[in-house]
Amino acid sequence: MSESRPTLMEDLERAGRESMPHLLGAIVSAVVSLLVPLAGIVAAYSGYRLTTVMERSWFGLLFAVFGVVSLVSWLVLIWGPHLF
């Protein structure tokens, strides 16, 4: 009796049923953070929350890391000249 791991689509469907705001928040805010880096905070939080819902934690971590990188790169761009 071995349990099979759900496919990515099944995992996404489950995340949609259990935590639709975090799934949509992660996807939309990650795209928006390309233009408005402060949206990276929402991407990071929503991505982190997806790690608790989905079996594939890498999917949520991908959005979390993308949001943090977007925010940090913006901060370095703004504050970088003052630090060096």
Side-chain angles (χ1 to χ4, degrees):
M1 180 171 132
S2 69
E3 292 185 26
S4 63
R5 187 173 187 193
T7 64
L8 180 59
M9 289 308 295
E10 292 170 346
D11 213 6
L12 284 171
E13 288 174 8
R14 179 175 164 223
R17 284 191 311 270
E18 294 182 19
S19 186
M20 181 60 81
H22 292 118
L23 181 61
L24 289 177
I27 294 169
V28 171
S29 62
V31 172
V32 170
S33 73
L34 293 172
L35 300 172
V36 183
L38 286 176
I41 296 170
V42 177
Y45 176 74
S46 295
Y48 169 73
R49 295 292 300 183
L50 282 178
T51 62
T52 62
V53 176
M54 297 179 72
E55 186 171 323
R56 289 172 172 81
S57 61
W58 65 264
F59 191 80
L61 287 175
L62 181 72
F63 287 107
V65 167
F66 189 82
V68 169
V69 167
S70 175
L71 183 63
V72 168
S73 64
W74 178 66
L75 290 173
V76 167
L77 181 67
I78 289 175
W79 294 99
H82 302 291
L83 295 175
F84 300 108

